[in-house]
Amino acid sequence: MEQTDLLLAIETTCDETAAAVIEGPRPPDVGVPWVRSSVVASQVGLHQRYGGVVPEIASRAHVRQVLPMIDEALVRAGVALAEIDAIAVATRPGLVGALIVGLTAAKALALALDVPLVAVDHLEGHLYACQLAHPDRQVYPCIGLVVSGGHTSLYRCDSPLESTFLGGTTDDAAGEAFDKVASLMKLGYPGGPALERLARGRNPRAFALPRSFLHDDRPIFSFSGLKTAVLYALHGQNARSDEVLLDETGLGDLAASFQEAVVDVLVAKTRQALVRSGLKRLGVGGGVAANAHFRERIAAMAAGLGVDLFIPPPSLCTDNAAMAAVALPRLHAGQVADLDADVTAGLVRPGRKP
Ligand code: KG4
Ligand code: ZN
């Protein structure tokens, strides 16, 4: 009879407290894991008034939410804690205090249940969401693009656990640019979805905004100049006054023009990486991949190159614990964490072992 492993996964890298129960074949059986349950408690309401994530508030909210989320994930999966075979937790990259809450909960559970603890990379998880969402198709090897609030990075991914960093942003991440521009336009936090709504049906060519490194053959991104250009479009050259110079139509057109500039660069740089690598598969993950206009444009580019595109549904693009299913291949490769495992705030280039 086929044997499976039941994994309890915890995600607390930034401002979502999430837990999931995942089931997957135990070697020698092979196959892609499936999600039994996945729950997310968003902290958006807590951070909104500050226009961004406040790390201390995030940590405290994780402390309150992590056990209820774990209970909820177990109940929804119909699984008892005693049936869990391993605990997975994202230990990098993220906010230190936030990461520590998830790791501490994971360690306590692993110790109490006497099961292995598996540390996962949040970005590796964002890309593995492509495989979870397409269990019948082979995603790897592929070019991986992570576009989130903290990262805009291209990878060559040879397997779920073996990736090479090709290049990333030199300043803001794409999601961060959405959030900052939305904040300039007083759209609230998080900015991505609000800005996308405002841009819908508006003219993406109304404002000539910069597209940094578009004609540079290095796999690098920059969005800070674009943000400044939006500031000047809103308040005039050098932003000498606080007065907003645009009417409602102008604001919609500016949102559409900004979105178009970000998407143009993301699509062009990803195309460049695909052509250069010769790979015929593309996996995309992270919150910005929930953007409908980006999804349309990246799909058209991939189709034009004859490349298979793997992009999860929006709920698996934004932060969640289900993507920590990447812990199962790690577990089966014997990459288990010790109880003295620590968190890492910054980027650990995938490919380097924890
Ligand atoms: O992956 P994620 O949930 O968290 C990080 O790992 O950072 O990504 C969050 C980011 C935020 O910057 C948010 O504004 C952006 O993803 N985002 C979007 C959309 N939905 C979320 N950006 C553009 N359009 C969207 N629909
Ligand atoms: Zn993320």
Side-chain angles (χ1 to χ4, degrees):
M1 204 181 82
E2 190 175 276
Q3 295 274 337
T4 61
D5 279 318
L6 276 173
L7 183 77
L8 173 63
I10 301 169
E11 153 69 42
T12 63
T13 60
C14 188
D15 62 342
E16 321 277 10
T17 317
V21 174
I22 295 133
E23 188 168 0
R26 180 180 298 168
D29 291 323
V30 289
V32 173
W34 54 97
V35 182
R36 293 272 302 254
S37 68
S38 175
V39 293
V40 181
S42 173
Q43 302 178 3
V44 160
L46 296 176
H47 301 289
Q48 229 149 20
R49 59 193 286 210
Y50 304 100
V53 178
V54 182
E56 181 61 24
I57 292 177
S59 308
R60 285 166 190 259
H62 286 309
V63 170
R64 284 195 301 274
Q65 290 289 357
V66 71
L67 296 180
M69 282 298 102
I70 290 170
D71 285 342
E72 180 75 20
L74 289 166
V75 167
R76 289 202 193 182
V79 167
L81 201 48
E83 295 175 76
I84 293 295
D85 296 299
I87 308 289
V89 61
T91 58
R92 60 187 181 275
L95 302 170
V96 170
L99 288 164
I100 287 173
V101 177
L103 178 58
T104 306
K107 282 183 182 175
L109 283 168
L111 189 64
L113 300 174
D114 194 20
V115 295
L117 172 70
V118 187
V120 302
D121 185 299
H122 181 79
L123 304 179
E124 214 165 63
H126 268 308
L127 290 174
Y128 194 68
C130 297
Q131 185 66 80
L132 273 186
H134 299 93
D136 304 329
R137 298 169 65 198
Q138 194 181 335
V139 172
Y140 301 87
C142 65
I143 288 293
L145 170 69
V146 180
V147 268
S148 69
H151 303 277
T152 301
S153 305
L154 281 162
Y155 301 92
R156 180 197 165 96
C157 306
D158 287 298
S159 76
L161 307 179
E162 295 167 282
S163 333
T164 310
F165 177 74
L166 301 176
T169 181
T170 54
D171 42 51
D172 294 346
E176 189 181 357
F178 267 94
D179 293 337
K180 287 179 174 169
V181 163
S183 160
L184 290 175
M185 297 175 84
K186 310 247 182 306
L187 298 179
Y189 176 84
L195 209 135
E196 179 179 7
R197 274 194 301 277
L198 185 63
R200 204 165 292 149
R202 305 308 320 171
N203 179 5
R205 275 168 291 279
F207 293 84
L209 299 175
R211 282 138 171 87
S212 300
F213 299 128
L214 191 63
H215 302 294
D216 186 304
D217 59 6
R218 290 170 295 170
I220 53 177
F221 304 84
S222 164
F223 297 107
S224 64
L226 174 58
K227 189 182 59 192
T228 309
V230 170
L231 179 73
Y232 291 173
L234 273 173
H235 299 296
Q237 190 63 28
N238 299 328
R240 288 221 179 83
S241 118
D242 287 344
E243 193 194 341
V244 173
L245 304 177
L246 305 174
D247 60 10
E248 215 171 295
T249 307
L251 287 173
D253 287 348
L254 183 58
S257 301
F258 163 79
Q259 180 173 264
E260 192 73 4
V262 175
V263 170
D264 275 354
V265 174
L266 293 175
V267 169
K269 289 290 167 189
T270 307
R271 186 180 196 285
Q272 206 178 63
L274 282 163
V275 170
R276 195 163 295 170
S277 69
L279 288 169
K280 288 293 180 192
R281 298 191 190 99
L282 169 63
V284 183
V288 179
N291 182 286
H293 183 58
F294 168 75
R295 294 171 81 92
E296 258 171 44
R297 292 275 314 277
I298 200 106
M301 181 276 288
L305 285 181
V307 161
D308 286 333
L309 171 66
F310 301 92
I311 188 162
S315 62
L316 268 181
C317 288
T318 48
D319 285 352
N320 64 86
M323 66 194 195
V326 72
L328 279 177
R330 243 189 217 297
L331 175 70
H332 299 146
Q335 295 175 18
V336 171
D338 295 333
L339 285 180
D340 62 0
D342 209 346
V343 301
T344 310
L347 193 66
V348 175
R349 304 276 185 244
R352 250 195 250 161
K353 295 295 164 259

